[in-house]
Amino acid sequence: MGYSLQANAKTLEGNRHPDRNAQFEYVNAQTKSFLEQGLPVISVDTKKKELVGNFSNRGREWQPKEEPQKTLIHDFPDKELGKIIPYGIYDVGRNQGWVSVGIDHDTAEFATDSILAWWKHMGSKAYPNATRLMIMADAGGSNSSRSRLWKASLQRLANLTGLQLQISHFPPGTSKWNKIEHRMFSFITQNWRATPLVSYQTIIQLIANTRTSAGLKIKANANAKTYPTGIEVAASEMAKLNLKT
């Protein structure tokens, strides 16, 4: 009767905003302008949270014949080890990255602390004379364009670094166009394929050992700080921020 077993096909994108392409063009033009002036441009995002422990990891890796890596049957979180939250910063101009491996909550303060760590350990050394920093981010998550805490945290970041920050958000539903996704996160996933993430140190080493033929280099560090959720930023505090849209 003309039927066969078939999987779903992800082809429907929904409605397209008339200014969607213009936003991409603007982000691209700003990126080129910053890079031509020797100014830093970073792409930021939170990678998928991962369970810590002897759990199965996707992918295949070379093993002796008929001796697969043995892992736990069930993926129940280990109460002591918990999960990790990798927040990444990708330096577009230098093809280098930084990952802060958090253990608490993915909040706006965690995101800006991660950017600050990148600036202290990598950015300030690579761009000693920089006065401006461009940040490309998704429209949602801890760096949401609508988050008041994200904006307040960025003001704190600007105060600490002395940098003028320019934030460019991608349209909703287009996170895969953010450069960190296909220039850094994808290679981290390939590097730790079929490798159980048994400890925090293992995770950090696997991230830091990620390399590509194009010269990608990554540094990683643990962030054991706790980040409370539900923090509200009052309108009076927002009025004090030095924001331009």
Side-chain angles (χ1 to χ4, degrees), residues 26-86:
Y26 174 78
V27 173
N28 187 53
Q30 291 298 305
T31 300
K32 288 184 176 180
S33 176
F34 267 69
L35 294 178
E36 288 172 356
Q37 297 175 66
L39 295 171
V41 177
I42 59 174
S43 171
V44 303
D45 197 11
T46 305
K47 195 178 186 303
K48 184 176 75 71
K49 300 176 181 66
E50 303 283 354
L51 294 175
V52 183
N54 190 27
F55 302 106
S56 292
N57 204 352
R58 290 183 178 181
R60 296 186 295 176
E61 190 55 278
W62 292 105
Q63 290 284 120
K65 191 174 181 180
E66 297 182 358
E67 294 184 22
Q69 175 77 41
K70 296 181 179 180
T71 59
L72 296 171
I73 295 175
H74 300 291
D75 291 342
F76 298 131
D78 186 303
K79 293 183 178 180
E80 293 184 2
L81 296 176
K83 61 184 178 181
I84 55 108
I85 307 169

Side-chain angles (χ1 to χ4, degrees), residues 188-232:
I188 293 174
T189 300
Q190 290 178 28
N191 190 55
W192 69 23
R193 66 185 184 276
T195 303
L197 307 177
V198 296
S199 68
Y200 301 119
Q201 190 60 36
T202 297
I203 293 166
I204 291 172
Q205 289 179 351
L206 287 169
I207 294 173
N209 289 331
T210 302
R211 297 288 186 273
T212 68
S213 58
L216 173 67
K217 295 181 180 179
I218 304 175
K219 292 184 179 181
N221 197 14
N223 181 344
K225 185 177 176 180
T226 58
Y227 292 93
T229 59
I231 297 177
E232 297 184 2

Side-chain angles (χ1 to χ4, degrees), residues 20-206:
R20 176 176 171 178
N21 186 65
Q23 190 166 347
F24 277 110
E25 295 285 354
Y26 174 78
V27 173
N28 187 53
Q30 291 298 305
T31 300
K32 288 184 176 180
S33 176
F34 267 69
L35 294 178
E36 288 172 356
Q37 297 175 66
L39 295 171
V41 177
I42 59 174
S43 171
V44 303
D45 197 11
T46 305
K47 195 178 186 303
K48 184 176 75 71
K49 300 176 181 66
E50 303 283 354
L51 294 175
V52 183
N54 190 27
F55 302 106
S56 292
N57 204 352
R58 290 183 178 181
R60 296 186 295 176
E61 190 55 278
W62 292 105
Q63 290 284 120
K65 191 174 181 180
E66 297 182 358
E67 294 184 22
Q69 175 77 41
K70 296 181 179 180
T71 59
L72 296 171
I73 295 175
H74 300 291
D75 291 342
F76 298 131
D78 186 303
K79 293 183 178 180
E80 293 184 2
L81 296 176
K83 61 184 178 181
I84 55 108
I85 307 169
Y87 192 91
I89 294 90
Y90 175 69
D91 185 337
V92 177
R94 297 176 64 86
N95 194 29
Q96 296 182 358
W98 172 272
V99 178
S100 286
V101 181
I103 60 173
D104 192 47
H105 295 101
D106 182 21
T107 69
E109 291 180 316
F110 171 57
T112 51
D113 277 353
S114 300
I115 298 173
L116 180 61
W118 164 80
W119 178 251
K120 287 182 177 179
H121 293 281
M122 299 181 72
S124 60
K125 298 175 183 178
Y127 306 95
N129 300 317
T131 57
R132 301 165 63 199
L133 169 65
M134 179 176 174
I135 302 175
M136 294 186 290
D138 298 343
S142 56
N143 40 236
S144 169
S145 58
R146 296 177 179 270
S147 170
R148 286 188 173 187
L149 183 59
W150 165 247
K151 296 173 183 178
S153 298
L154 285 173
Q155 182 67 71
R156 179 176 63 89
L157 177 63
N159 295 341
L160 291 172
T161 61
L163 295 169
Q164 178 182 335
L165 306 179
Q166 176 168 323
I167 317 301
S168 293
H169 284 94
F170 287 94
T174 62
S175 62
K176 296 305 179 185
W177 277 262
N178 199 353
K179 285 182 170 58
I180 194 172
E181 293 281 354
H182 50 85
R183 290 194 181 179
M184 194 172 92
F185 283 168
S186 60
F187 296 110
I188 293 174
T189 300
Q190 290 178 28
N191 190 55
W192 69 23
R193 66 185 184 276
T195 303
L197 307 177
V198 296
S199 68
Y200 301 119
Q201 190 60 36
T202 297
I203 293 166
I204 291 172
Q205 289 179 351
L206 287 169

